[in-house]
């Protein structure tokens, strides 16, 4: 496989990260979970008492506690400064606050710069909301993954149960719908399908079927 860039965007819980990880592993590419970066800043804001809309304060946090990834056998570990926050960034309080933080222009500028830097070698699978439109507009392959809110809530519910996080199904569904709305209606880089992205609706598909479908798309593009 050539050293191409693969951008995977889509709404919350559409399966982006699971699929992106498998593709990166199969192609021996680097995987970058950009949502984890927005979650990491949000975690910092909540623990360091910085307001979720304090742009300058949030950027200062990122400068003081840089977000880094470490690859491990168990998956990607996330750090802010020296502190590991892999589990903390998945907790409900972070999830509920992340859309507000990720709507701040200065935060996006800072993280997009970091993401572009991580991608400059190519051989990358990056997932998020604005990868195909803003972060890697030249990506050779752009996928936009969607699924019904009902199915995404079911997937997240199962995932949470496995991680020992308790949440009510209806609450989860509402939270996903709310995050969809906020992420799609923010002013800066809203969640939107890039013109040259290929839409894959994963409702009713299992992970392996989605991976196969994306591999087919990549092959059809001649890579
Ligand atoms: O993919 P995720 O659910 O972990 O992402 C968490 C939040 O981060 C999501 O609600 C919107 C924001 N995000 C973003 O604005 N841009 C990205 N490229 C990735 C995530």
């Amino acid at each position: 496989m050539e050293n191409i860039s693969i951008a995977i965007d889509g709404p919350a819980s559409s399966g982006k990260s699971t699929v992106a990880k498998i593709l990166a592993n199969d192609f021996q590419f680097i995987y970058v979970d950009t949502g984890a970066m927005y979650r990491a800043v949000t975690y910092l804001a909540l623990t360091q008492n910085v307001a979720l809309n304090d742009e300058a304060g949030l950027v200062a946090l990122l400068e003081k506690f840089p977000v880094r990834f470490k690859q491990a056998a168990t998956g990607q570990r996330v750090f802010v400064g020296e502190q590991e926050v892999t589990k903390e960034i998945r907790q409900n309080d972070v999830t509920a606050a992340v859309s507000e933080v990720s709507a701040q222009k200065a935060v996006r500028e800072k993280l997009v710069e970091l993401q572009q830097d991580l991608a400059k070698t190519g051989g990358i699978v990056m997932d998020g909301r604005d990868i195909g439109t803003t972060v890697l507009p030249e990506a050779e392959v752009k996928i936009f993954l969607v699924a019904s809110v009902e199915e995404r809530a079911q997937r997240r519910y199962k995932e949470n149960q496995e991680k020992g996080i308790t949440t009510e199904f209806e609450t989860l569904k509402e939270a996903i719908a709310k995050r969809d709305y906020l992420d799609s209606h923010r002013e800066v880089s809203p969640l939107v399908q890039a013109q040259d992205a290929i839409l894959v609706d994963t409702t009713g598909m299992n992970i392996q079927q989605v991976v196969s479908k994306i591999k087919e798309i990549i092959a059809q593009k001649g890579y």
Side-chain angles (χ1 to χ4, degrees):
M1 172 66 70
E2 288 174 53
N3 257 4
I4 59 167
S5 297
I6 302 173
I8 303 189
D9 290 300
S13 305
S14 54
K16 300 180 300 290
S17 63
T18 311
V19 167
K21 270 181 228 162
I22 296 173
L23 290 171
N25 189 54
D26 290 356
F27 297 149
Q28 293 291 295
F29 280 8
I30 298 166
Y31 166 57
V32 178
D33 174 357
T34 62
M37 295 180 172
Y38 291 97
R39 287 173 178 273
V41 197
T42 306
Y43 170 80
L44 283 171
L46 294 175
T47 50
Q48 306 279 327
N49 293 318
V50 170
L52 302 178
N53 61 357
D54 175 0
E55 282 192 77
L58 294 167
V59 170
L61 281 178
L62 273 176
E63 274 158 11
K64 190 163 173 204
F65 305 100
V67 178
R68 288 176 302 120
F69 292 121
K70 273 191 200 167
Q71 303 302 329
T74 48
Q76 195 162 52
R77 297 169 66 194
V78 186
F79 290 80
V80 285
E82 296 308 312
Q83 187 193 353
E84 177 165 13
V85 293
T86 311
K87 286 212 180 85
E88 289 77 355
I89 62 169
R90 305 289 159 195
Q91 295 294 341
N92 293 336
D93 55 343
V94 173
T95 304
V98 66
S99 286
E100 185 165 2
V101 170
S102 64
Q104 309 304 319
K105 188 164 181 257
V107 171
R108 301 203 71 84
E109 281 169 1
K110 182 102 188 139
L111 290 182
V112 167
E113 202 182 293
L114 186 61
Q115 290 154 10
Q116 288 174 335
D117 196 49
L118 289 171
K120 66 176 186 255
T121 51
I124 190 130
V125 185
M126 192 174 277
D127 80 353
R129 303 291 190 288
D130 60 341
I131 312 306
T133 52
T134 306
V135 182
L136 304 175
E138 308 297 332
E140 286 84 352
V141 178
K142 296 182 186 178
I143 305 291
F144 198 76
L145 277 194
V146 297
S148 70
V149 174
E150 183 77 23
E151 181 150 331
R152 286 185 283 138
Q154 263 159 14
R155 290 178 190 164
R156 194 45 69 101
Y157 184 75
K158 256 179 134 181
E159 237 174 68
N160 281 359
Q161 268 190 328
E162 281 160 17
K163 286 182 193 156
I165 302 172
T166 35
T167 341
E168 266 192 33
F169 178 72
E170 280 306 316
T171 314
L172 213 51
K173 203 168 132 184
E174 275 165 32
I176 287 177
K178 182 175 174 202
R179 209 140 61 89
D180 279 359
Y181 182 85
L182 292 174
D183 294 345
S184 322
H185 289 82
R186 66 170 176 239
E187 233 168 85
V188 196
S189 286
L191 167 69
V192 61
Q193 183 179 344
Q195 269 187 350
D196 51 350
I198 295 171
L199 182 83
V200 177
D201 186 342
T202 71
T203 310
M205 283 167 90
N206 65 32
I207 293 295
Q208 210 39 59
Q209 288 169 321
V210 180
V211 170
S212 302
K213 173 81 194 160
I214 296 177
K215 285 186 174 172
E216 240 172 64
I217 292 170
I218 296 172
Q220 274 164 7
K221 282 183 167 280
Y223 297 108

